[in-house]
Amino acid sequence: MSTDLPDVSGISVGILGGTGDQGKGLARRFAIAGHTVLIGSRNEERAREAAGSLSGLAGPVRGAGNAAVAAEADVVVVAVPWDGHRATLESLRAELDGKIVVDCVNPLGFDKQGAYALPVEEGSAAQQAAAVLTGSRVVGAFHHVSAVLLLDPEVDEVDLDVLVLGDDREATDTVQALANRIAGVRGVYGGRLRNAHQVEALTANLISINRRYKAHAGFRVTDV
Amino acid sequence: MSTDLPDVSGISVGILGGTGDQGKGLARRFAIAGHTVLIGSRNEERAREAAGSLSGLAGPVRGAGNAAVAAEADVVVVAVPWDGHRATLESLRAELDGKIVVDCVNPLGFDKQGAYALPVEEGSAAQQAAAVLTGSRVVGAFHHVSAVLLLDPEVDEVDLDVLVLGDDREATDTVQALANRIAGVRGVYGGRLRNAHQVEALTANLISINRRYKAHAGFRVTDV
């Protein structure tokens, strides 16, 4: 596959909703890779606590409110719960203007039979982000990474490909390069934003697979 | 992962729409594995021609009309074009009653930007099959296998996992075992039928990946 991706080693990464497991797990891996990481939360105190729990890694981790993180970070990952997704993004339009915004949110419901995909008016969380953040460069990625593995100090390499979706080639290239910064992970272009829904929804299948096989499953793309 | 799957080496496989590339490719691989394969088509003559082109493999391949194939085969794979999906199944309700029916149809549209998922009233092709074939045991599988690879005599092993979806454990186990009969392929349980949409739709992403990387991509499930 093409390896002609930009050097992203110097960029800072902000994580909105960085106190949740997924956001914190990504924060941890980006800090291990040497990035400056900014953990954002509605609650600044919780953001600082989460950042404190990730001290001593190669890159510095700081906590702040979502708006400060959105304004300061070079690339911003959206890892907020689905039910706060739209409102959070609407409140950060100005701060996120012009930036690469990476949506990793999976709109899922849960019942006794497990997880299932929720319908999204815009088609997907990533498309909702693009609809709200008309001035940002929205990319979908990091949907399938297991928070458990990201946070596990025994796991040196995370064994999966990250599908990167978007309509802006420079932005998807940047996010592929960012995914490659996590040991074991490979960023693979996965299609346009209009095909993000199924990648988000596939997380429900991963949950079924994990339950059946007692695994922390991910996907690898073959022949690439 | 669990390997406690049934022995399916003796079963015959019918392929509705077996004259298309996907159906013919699956027919070829099942015949190589030693199965009796019945290629079905609306046009019996074309079915016989397709079967004739697959002679000399380990298992016998015969062609017939869709109804005869549906009635005779032990397991029936639905590989018809999406736009004939519902009508074909409605016409074969009696023949398919009680059988394991494996839907591999991907409801996709195409435009200048590539492939995209079509909305399906029932949620997915597999759920539509289940809604029409109330007496059958419907399973979704074989969505991502590349017809090009299946048909290529230079390709001895097909490098991907087949996600098998369904609500009937015995039926999904049987189809996983059937997937395992294709050299290189592994059948992995992928969730309930209600989570089939995203697996079907993901074929649009594979098409984008193939275009970007000049590949015949598939997916492997890690940690399973």
Side-chain angles (χ1 to χ4, degrees):
Chain A
M1 66 179 274
S2 163
T3 51
D4 194 18
L5 298 174
D7 176 9
V8 297
S9 57
I11 69 171
S12 63
V13 183
I15 316 245
L16 307 180
T19 57
D21 284 343
Q22 190 78 353
K24 198 170 159 184
L26 288 170
R28 180 171 177 276
R29 295 287 163 171
F30 290 129
I32 288 172
H35 292 278
T36 295
V37 177
L38 307 167
I39 288 188
S41 172
R42 281 179 304 182
N43 182 327
E44 286 189 41
E45 184 52 35
R46 288 193 58 215
R48 278 191 286 270
E49 280 172 22
S53 75
L54 297 177
S55 62
L57 304 174
V61 183
R62 288 187 285 118
N66 278 330
V69 167
E72 187 178 338
D74 295 323
V75 168
V76 178
V77 176
V78 182
V80 300
W82 168 240
D83 62 10
H85 186 262
R86 179 196 287 275
T88 300
L89 296 180
E90 281 175 346
S91 73
L92 299 172
R93 265 193 179 131
E95 292 84 349
L96 295 172
D97 192 55
K99 299 206 179 192
I100 294 175
V101 175
V102 188
D103 203 298
C104 69
V105 174
N106 298 310
L108 298 181
F110 294 86
D111 61 20
K112 277 191 292 183
Q113 298 194 326
Y116 58 95
L118 294 173
V120 179
E121 192 187 329
E122 296 84 356
S124 62
Q127 287 166 291
Q128 183 180 90
V132 171
L133 305 171
T134 50
S136 303
R137 306 164 77 184
V138 174
V139 171
F142 301 111
H143 301 96
H144 301 153
V145 286
S146 156
V148 173
L149 298 184
L150 291 173
L151 288 168
D152 187 341
E154 305 285 310
V155 173
D156 292 328
E157 302 211 337
V158 182
D159 181 15
L160 89 169
D161 289 342
V162 163
L163 291 174
V164 178
L165 298 116
D167 301 335
D168 173 334
R169 176 69 185 257
E170 195 179 66
T172 58
D173 280 356
T174 299
V175 177
Q176 281 182 248
L178 197 60
N180 290 344
R181 301 282 294 165
I182 301 177
V185 169
R186 184 176 66 152
V188 176
Y189 173 71
R192 291 177 175 272
L193 227 47
R194 69 175 179 176
N195 283 318
H197 164 72
Q198 52 265 30
V199 175
E200 299 172 1
L202 199 64
T203 306
N205 302 76
L206 278 175
I207 291 168
S208 301
I209 292 168
N210 288 343
R211 185 187 282 198
R212 170 67 62 93
Y213 297 107
K214 318 237 176 290
H216 297 293
F219 295 107
R220 288 283 189 193
V221 182
T222 59
D223 199 36
V224 165
Chain B
M1 67 179 273
S2 163
T3 50
D4 194 18
L5 298 174
D7 176 10
V8 296
S9 57
I11 69 170
S12 63
V13 183
I15 317 245
L16 307 180
T19 58
D21 283 344
Q22 190 78 353
K24 198 170 157 184
L26 288 171
R28 180 172 176 276
R29 295 287 163 172
F30 290 129
I32 287 172
H35 291 278
T36 295
V37 177
L38 307 168
I39 288 188
S41 172
R42 282 180 302 183
N43 182 329
E44 286 189 41
E45 184 52 34
R46 289 193 58 216
R48 278 190 287 270
E49 281 172 22
S53 76
L54 296 176
S55 62
L57 303 173
V61 183
R62 287 187 283 119
N66 277 331
V69 167
E72 186 179 338
D74 295 325
V75 168
V76 177
V77 176
V78 182
V80 300
W82 168 239
D83 62 9
H85 186 260
R86 179 196 287 276
T88 300
L89 296 181
E90 281 175 345
S91 73
L92 298 172
R93 266 193 179 133
E95 291 84 350
L96 295 172
D97 192 56
K99 298 204 180 192
I100 294 176
V101 175
V102 187
D103 203 298
C104 69
V105 174
N106 298 311
L108 298 181
F110 295 86
D111 62 18
K112 278 191 292 187
Q113 298 194 327
Y116 58 94
L118 294 173
V120 179
E121 193 188 330
E122 295 85 356
S124 62
Q127 286 165 292
Q128 182 179 90
V132 171
L133 304 171
T134 49
S136 302
R137 306 164 77 184
V138 174
V139 171
F142 301 110
H143 302 95
H144 302 153
V145 286
S146 157
V148 173
L149 298 184
L150 292 174
L151 288 168
D152 188 341
E154 304 286 311
V155 174
D156 292 327
E157 302 212 336
V158 182
D159 182 15
L160 89 167
D161 289 341
V162 162
L163 291 174
V164 177
L165 299 115
D167 301 334
D168 173 335
R169 175 70 185 258
E170 195 180 65
T172 58
D173 280 357
T174 298
V175 176
Q176 281 182 248
L178 197 60
N180 290 345
R181 302 280 297 164
I182 300 177
V185 169
R186 184 176 65 152
V188 175
Y189 173 71
R192 290 176 176 272
L193 226 48
R194 68 175 180 179
N195 283 318
H197 165 73
Q198 52 266 30
V199 175
E200 298 172 1
L202 199 65
T203 306
N205 301 76
L206 278 175
I207 291 168
S208 301
I209 292 167
N210 288 343
R211 186 187 282 198
R212 170 68 61 93
Y213 298 107
K214 319 238 177 288
H216 297 293
F219 294 107
R220 287 284 189 192
V221 182
T222 59
D223 198 36
V224 165

